[in-house]
Amino acid sequence: MSSALLSPSDERVEQLIVLTERLTDLIAKQATAFEARRPHEAARHVEETAKLANVYRHESARVRGNVALVQAATPDRRRRLVRATEAFDAVLARQSRAIAAAKTVTEGLVRAVANEIAAQRPQAAGYGPSAHGAGYANNATAITLNRKA
């Protein structure tokens, strides 16, 4: 359908549908990458997702502030927008779960590595300035962790 034949409300809703569907597709790809434990693949879409998410946020706020912008659109077109928004919400929830799982796994790996390094460090024996033990002289291993790791 030519955009010249669409009302301004129909045109805006159609643009929102296209934007929402594209954003949903990108976020679904990121969720799939996290679920497959391939976060580097999710990173491919970060820039475009961020740009589209910013446009989506801006347009959503505009519509919330002035519902008349979309109110005159055809009922069918408005239903398509509602369905696209529901799919978007579902994929956001999926991505959130995938990211939370990846974070839990990563934090567990960091803790395991830190514990292994700590277990392999020589233990101090005795008290006083010379009580460090011979193992410390040759041990150049350093590790810094915060409480979240």
Side-chain angles (χ1 to χ4, degrees):
M1 184 183 285
S2 170
S3 62
L5 301 176
L6 295 178
S7 72
S9 289
D10 282 324
E11 181 67 29
R12 179 171 299 278
V13 170
E14 195 61 40
Q15 290 171 354
L16 287 170
I17 291 167
V18 170
L19 172 64
T20 304
E21 288 174 344
R22 178 65 183 141
L23 194 52
T24 299
D25 181 57
L26 288 170
I27 292 173
K29 286 178 181 176
Q30 289 179 327
T32 299
F34 278 113
E35 290 163 351
R37 292 177 176 71
R38 296 174 172 267
H40 59 282
E41 289 178 10
R44 292 181 196 159
H45 306 291
V46 168
E47 189 175 333
E48 184 179 3
T49 302
K51 286 177 186 177
L52 291 178
N54 191 42
V55 172
Y56 182 86
R57 181 186 54 80
H58 176 73
E59 290 301 315
S60 296
R62 178 184 275 171
V63 169
R64 274 192 305 276
N66 186 3
V67 179
L69 292 172
V70 297
Q71 221 165 18
T74 64
D76 181 57
R77 194 165 267 111
R78 287 196 323 254
R79 275 191 296 274
R80 285 181 46 228
L81 179 59
V82 168
R83 284 194 306 269
T85 302
E86 289 169 348
F88 177 65
D89 288 342
V91 83
L92 280 177
R94 176 181 163 205
Q95 183 195 41
S96 178
R97 288 188 302 272
I99 289 172
K103 179 180 180 236
T104 300
V105 168
T106 301
E107 288 175 350
L109 289 172
V110 169
R111 272 193 213 97
V113 169
N115 290 339
E116 184 62 27
I117 290 171
Q120 291 181 12
R121 284 188 168 180
Q123 301 297 317
Y127 296 96
S130 63
H132 293 306
Y136 281 103
N138 297 325
N139 186 351
T141 304
I143 187 165
T144 302
L145 298 173
N146 63 25
R147 295 186 78 66
K148 290 189 176 193

